[in-house]
């Protein structure tokens, strides 16, 4: 168990809808990262927050947004959902904001999103 | 665009054998090369990592070999065990971001 929690575990929704995925980082970790894992694209970095501020952005669509709250939990909002958004969404956390060798990212169990 | 290319896509090895997974990258700014292990239904977990100034790192049965000039690195799993059956991802990182390879599914037959 990595200490990172994600809810819900599974989410089934329809095209055009909006959903919110939630992540609680490990105790003491200030950074939260979001990743999308799909069969055709693999594991793709979406966005990172460090202590409430956006730190880095990856391949995140404009329909997607995220935020990190004062208690350091994070939410990923996905709107105008399309069939292609069906994927596993992982949250990871790390102590610092720099990433890299001394700042291991610990992954949560993921949220499986199915868009019908 | 895959910044890290990983091969093979899958491999089967007998118990006690050696599993070898290869990765290649283009971006010379990468300064952190971790390997993650993922079991079905779980998130990836860090297995071992290496910096580009080191050519080899060993932790137990897992070894990373790193060739900076060729921009390649590989994971060797020695004495493979059925419990090693999982998907392995190489990654390369810089500026807070990790770029992952496509993953290799390793099956260890008893």
């Amino acid at each position: 168990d990595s200490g990172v929690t994600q809810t819900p575990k599974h989410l089934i929704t329809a095209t055009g809808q909006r959903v919110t995925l939630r992540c609680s980082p490990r105790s003491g970790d200030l950074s939260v990262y979001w990743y999308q894992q799909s069969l055709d694209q693999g594991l793709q970095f979406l966005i990172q927050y460090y202590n409430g501020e956006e730190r880095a952005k990856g391949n995140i669509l404009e329909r997607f947004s995220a935020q990190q709250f004062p208690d350091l939990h994070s939410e990923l909002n996905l709107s105008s959902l399309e069939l292609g958004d069906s994927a596993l969404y992982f949250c990871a956390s790390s102590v610092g904001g720099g990433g890299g060798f001394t700042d291991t990212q610990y992954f949560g169990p993921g949220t499986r999103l199915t868009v019908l | 665009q895959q910044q890290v290319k990983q091969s093979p896509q899958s491999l089967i090895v007998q118990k006690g054998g050696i599993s070898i997974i290869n990765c290649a990258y283009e971006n010379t700014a990468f300064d952190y090369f971790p390997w993650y292990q993922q079991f079905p239904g779980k998130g990836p977990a860090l297995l071992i990592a290496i910096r580009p100034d080191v050519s080899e790192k060993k932790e137990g049965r897992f070894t990373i070999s790193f060739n900076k000039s060729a921009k390649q690195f590989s994971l060797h799993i020695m004495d493979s065990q059925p419990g090693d059956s999982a998907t392995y991802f190489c990654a390369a990182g810089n500026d807070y971001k990790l770029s992952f390879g496509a993953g290799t599914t390793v099956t260890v037959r008893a």
Side-chain angles (χ1 to χ4, degrees):
Chain A
D1 184 1
S2 67
V4 178
T5 60
Q6 290 188 248
T7 57
K9 202 165 187 173
H10 301 277
L11 199 47
I12 301 175
T13 187
T15 54
Q17 295 298 304
R18 174 190 166 94
V19 297
T20 298
L21 313 184
R22 183 188 167 105
C23 167
S24 292
R26 294 185 324 149
S27 177
D29 284 0
L30 297 179
S31 273
V32 168
Y33 309 76
W34 286 98
Y35 291 86
Q36 180 192 57
Q37 186 176 41
S38 60
L39 283 174
D40 56 342
Q41 293 290 319
L43 200 58
Q44 299 279 325
F45 167 72
L46 296 178
I47 196 165
Q48 179 204 1
Y49 277 81
Y50 174 72
N51 204 20
E53 300 288 326
E54 182 184 305
R55 176 63 68 97
K57 222 167 187 175
N59 303 319
I60 189 166
L61 299 171
E62 284 194 16
R63 300 183 285 109
F64 296 0
S65 64
Q67 55 183 326
Q68 186 179 27
F69 295 87
D71 67 352
L72 301 176
H73 91 271
S74 177
E75 293 181 355
L76 179 67
N77 300 296
L78 315 175
S79 61
S80 302
L81 285 167
E82 302 174 0
L83 295 176
D85 297 327
S86 295
L88 264 169
Y89 290 85
F90 286 105
C91 163
S93 74
S94 70
V95 171
F101 199 79
T102 57
D103 199 26
T104 300
Q105 293 185 31
Y106 295 89
F107 282 74
T111 293
R112 182 173 292 281
L113 173 67
T114 302
V115 182
L116 300 175
Chain B
Q1 181 189 353
Q2 202 84 29
Q3 292 204 59
V4 180
K5 291 185 171 25
Q6 183 172 347
S7 63
Q9 193 172 5
S10 63
L11 68 90
I12 298 172
V13 63
Q14 293 297 316
K15 181 181 174 184
I18 302 173
S19 303
I20 302 174
I21 306 169
N22 300 299
C23 287
Y25 65 96
E26 286 298 323
N27 188 347
T28 55
F30 288 139
D31 58 7
Y32 170 55
F33 300 89
W35 284 87
Y36 278 81
Q37 180 189 54
Q38 185 178 26
F39 293 105
K42 303 286 186 184
L46 180 66
L47 188 63
I48 185 172
I50 198 167
R51 281 195 242 249
D53 54 350
V54 174
S55 61
E56 185 175 282
K57 182 174 181 179
K58 185 175 180 178
E59 285 185 5
R61 296 183 293 106
F62 300 90
T63 300
I64 300 178
S65 297
F66 187 84
N67 185 330
K68 189 173 180 178
S69 60
K71 291 186 281 187
Q72 294 175 347
F73 57 113
S74 59
L75 177 70
H76 295 231
I77 306 173
M78 314 300 286
D79 186 27
S80 297
Q81 299 297 310
D84 297 333
S85 296
T87 299
Y88 293 81
F89 294 92
C90 62
N94 76 304
D95 294 336
Y96 326 118
K97 301 180 202 176
L98 279 178
S99 296
F100 283 83
T104 297
T105 300
V106 174
T107 302
V108 181
R109 297 228 192 275

